[in-house]
Amino acid sequence: MELNTTESHDIGIAPEHPVSAAPAAKKVFVRTYGCQMNVYDSQRMTDALAADGYVATDAIDDADLVLLNTCHIREKAAEKVYSELGRIRDMKAERAEAGRELLIGVAGCVAQAEGAEIIRRSPAVDLVIGPQTYHRLPDVLARVRGGRKIVETDYAVEDKFEHLPQPKRAELVKRGVTAFLTVQEGCDKFCTFCVVPYTRGSEVSRPVAQIVAEAQRLAEAGVREVTLLGQNVNAWHGEGEDGEEWGLGRLLFRLAEIPGLARLRYTTSHPRDMDDELIAAHRDLPALMPYLHLPVQSGSDRILKAMNRRHTARDYLKLIDRIRAARADIAMSGDFIVGFPGETEADFEATLKLVREVSYASAFSFKYSPRPGTPGAEMDGHLPEAVKEERLRRLQALISAQQQDFIASLVGQTIGTLIDKPGRRPGQKVGRSPWLQPVIVDDKAGEIGDIIDVRITRTGQNSLFAELV
């Protein structure tokens, strides 16, 4: 199961000016590729490295350690990493000439998939560490400084979350009023297009006490909205505070009890794991935002079977009806893959038909790209790129029209908005709607962290403009 992918971006917090008498702190620069879970992992890597004397920086030229936290979902992901490593290798050589050390590490799913091959192809790399072992970073760095190159991609026996140091409250405050919180990792579904079970391993759920403790620390630092993350988050089943096994619905009710935590979300889900308790949470829990990302991938039963999704288009549509009956204002988001091996024009038309029936507020759509080691890569009937591109354009045109219709339907409505950052222009602040659109409001409408009622006056391309009620 995939999380929503994003453009690559850098996680870094500019260090405070050190006291002149203290030695200069070592600095780490983390470049993050891919999904929300990688963003969360990058933050936890910096937490682990803080115990080793590192502070995060958003300037790669200042760094003593550069980490690339990689994603393996899309085609040619590994090649993009090697290209980036070539540029950093040149920086490392320049540093060496000047008598300064620069360490290079590769983390994340490409690291897990490629392992020692990364160091073979890019000898400038000092360490390769998988997504289940990054809590060992301080120990790995100690061995690197001893003159060794380290590949740490075995699945950890211990619970990495228990071994990660907790960030200081001041550090959490800097991260803002919204936060990600990983509650589940790995996937047991083995969709034939997906590499996640091979890079992230089997499904593992964190216990309730651990999740609640982390959420409480976030709330105490001013976080108002938390998004629970998992490769297959609604398959989460963790040990509860009463010793019983809880499901995601019950966990959401427990998190809603935390003072200061006003909004909850979760992603990414599988249709087969939407149980009655979770649907009831959408009906009965005001803190749970009316926005659900529920990937279907295709509207063709034949292609869904080839993908090993283990549900039909009708199963999915009946589930959507149940969810909307529970929460009338819920907005749906989805994932779609076009051009899966063997997909005919009729199969693709079935996908368009499903999209029209559901009417999505947003969706992520991609051309199928074979991932080495997955069953889909070995299937017959791979389609020409031109066919995949043409189908993707048609699907995206339909989804874009639905998205614009949804945004336009909000004009005139009064909605709750969480102010989460300054605006790009003077006199503005930016909030977050219940459906994740940016909401532009007057600077005097409230402070960052406030949840205010606003009336939507007009729309931008992907944003809303509003006035205080």
Side-chain angles (χ1 to χ4, degrees):
M1 177 63 64
E2 300 176 17
L3 288 171
N4 307 340
T5 54
T6 61
E7 296 298 320
S8 66
H9 55 284
D10 306 327
I11 297 288
I13 299 169
E16 297 176 359
H17 295 294
V19 178
S20 58
K26 295 173 289 186
K27 299 176 184 177
V28 57
F29 174 89
V30 185
R31 176 157 289 158
T32 308
Y33 301 83
C35 67
Q36 297 99 323
M37 188 172 285
N38 268 15
V39 175
Y40 174 86
D41 285 350
S42 290
Q43 291 174 337
R44 299 314 308 270
M45 285 183 209
T46 61
D47 295 338
L49 289 167
D52 200 37
Y54 281 90
V55 295
T57 177
D58 54 7
I60 191 171
D61 292 338
D62 292 340
D64 303 287
L65 167 64
V66 172
L67 285 175
L68 303 184
N69 190 14
T70 60
C71 175
H72 206 269
I73 290 295
R74 300 290 161 236
E75 187 178 12
K76 300 180 181 176
E79 294 308 314
K80 293 177 182 177
V81 172
Y82 289 119
S83 176
E84 182 69 14
L85 287 172
R87 290 187 285 271
I88 301 172
R89 173 200 62 204
D90 295 341
M91 181 186 302
K92 181 172 184 172
E94 293 172 4
R95 291 279 191 90
E97 290 179 3
R100 289 182 59 199
E101 182 182 58
L102 175 64
L103 299 179
I104 303 174
V106 180
C109 291
V110 171
Q112 187 70 40
E114 299 278 314
E117 176 69 6
I118 293 174
I119 290 178
R120 188 191 71 79
R121 288 186 57 178
S122 298
V125 172
D126 299 287
L127 64 103
V128 177
I129 193 160
Q132 304 306 326
T133 49
Y134 62 73
H135 59 293
R136 300 175 183 169
L137 268 169
D139 174 66
V140 168
L141 283 169
R143 287 183 281 160
V144 167
R145 293 191 194 98
R148 299 170 60 188
K149 291 183 181 291
I150 304 298
V151 177
E152 191 88 5
T153 55
D154 291 337
Y155 287 107
V157 175
E158 70 274 16
D159 178 357
K160 72 178 178 186
F161 295 101
E162 286 190 353
H163 288 75
L164 285 168
Q166 298 306 325
K168 296 178 181 177
R169 186 178 185 279
E171 176 68 24
L172 291 176
V173 169
K174 293 177 183 177
R175 294 178 185 175
V177 297
T178 64
F180 295 128
L181 199 171
T182 292
V183 300
Q184 181 271 346
E185 290 192 296
C187 187
D188 294 342
K189 295 295 187 289
F190 287 92
C191 299
T192 57
F193 55 80
C194 187
V195 75
V196 164
Y198 311 101
T199 58
R200 290 276 183 169
S202 58
E203 289 177 0
V204 177
S205 296
R206 296 176 69 184
V208 171
Q210 201 179 87
I211 295 166
V212 169
E214 185 169 342
Q216 286 174 331
R217 285 191 296 271
L218 292 169
E220 289 164 4
V223 169
R224 306 299 314 280
E225 177 180 297
V226 165
T227 300
L228 307 183
L229 298 181
Q231 266 85 32
N232 193 17
V233 69
N234 58 343
W236 178 88
H237 283 86
E239 181 184 351
E241 295 166 322
D242 56 1
E244 300 292 325
E245 185 179 79
W246 291 17
L248 186 62
R250 190 171 178 186
L251 174 65
L252 287 162
F253 276 99
R254 174 65 183 89
L255 293 174
E257 297 172 0
I258 295 174
L261 201 57
R263 289 181 161 196
L264 297 170
R265 304 180 188 273
Y266 63 90
T267 196
T268 286
S269 303
H270 194 289
R272 294 182 61 243
D273 292 309
M274 287 293 301
D275 61 21
D276 292 343
E277 188 176 40
L278 185 54
I279 294 174
H282 282 281
R283 181 191 65 213
D284 300 332
L285 190 57
L288 183 56
M289 292 294 95
Y291 179 87
L292 176 60
H293 185 71
L294 191 63
V296 62
Q297 308 299 356
S298 174
S300 162
D301 289 348
R302 193 176 70 84
I303 296 300
L304 288 169
K305 184 176 181 179
M307 289 177 166
N308 194 36
R309 293 290 291 174
R310 289 181 283 180
H311 63 77
T312 65
R314 179 173 174 76
D315 294 335
Y316 182 83
L317 291 169
K318 288 171 66 177
L319 178 59
I320 297 293
D321 288 342
R322 290 178 58 208
I323 294 166
R324 283 180 164 156
R327 183 74 190 257
D329 64 340
I330 199 163
M332 300 304 304
S333 171
D335 284 350
F336 294 91
I337 295 173
V338 302
F340 190 78
E343 182 188 73
T344 64
E345 179 64 21
D347 293 322
F348 177 66
E349 286 292 341
T351 297
L352 296 180
K353 181 175 182 289
L354 182 143
V355 171
R356 293 187 187 101
E357 288 191 45
V358 173
S359 189
Y360 289 91
S362 67
F364 300 87
S365 52
F366 310 95
K367 295 182 298 181
Y368 172 73
S369 60
R371 308 311 302 131
T374 60
E378 306 301 320
M379 289 181 177
D380 296 329
H382 284 261
L383 274 63
E385 283 299 308
V387 172
K388 291 191 284 187
E389 288 172 3
E390 189 272 337
R391 289 179 183 173
L392 183 63
R393 283 195 297 270
R394 287 158 60 194
L395 174 61
Q396 289 182 338
L398 174 58
I399 291 170
S400 179
Q402 291 184 347
Q403 182 176 355
Q404 293 306 311
D405 287 346
F406 177 75
I407 292 175
S409 73
L410 300 177
V411 174
Q413 290 194 32
T414 297
I415 66 171
T417 297
L418 169 62
I419 303 178
D420 61 348
K421 59 187 174 183
R424 291 183 179 180
R425 297 181 180 179
Q428 291 182 343
K429 282 194 175 80
V430 179
R432 178 181 290 203
S433 84
W435 307 281
L436 285 177
Q437 297 97 349
V439 182
I440 314 301
V441 297
D442 185 90
D443 183 58
K444 297 181 178 62
E447 299 302 320
I448 291 174
D450 289 346
I451 298 177
I452 60 175
D453 286 334
V454 298
R455 183 179 296 107
I456 306 304
T457 58
R458 61 187 178 92
T459 67
Q461 183 67 27
N462 294 299
S463 59
L464 305 169
F465 291 82
E467 60 185 11
L468 186 65
V469 174

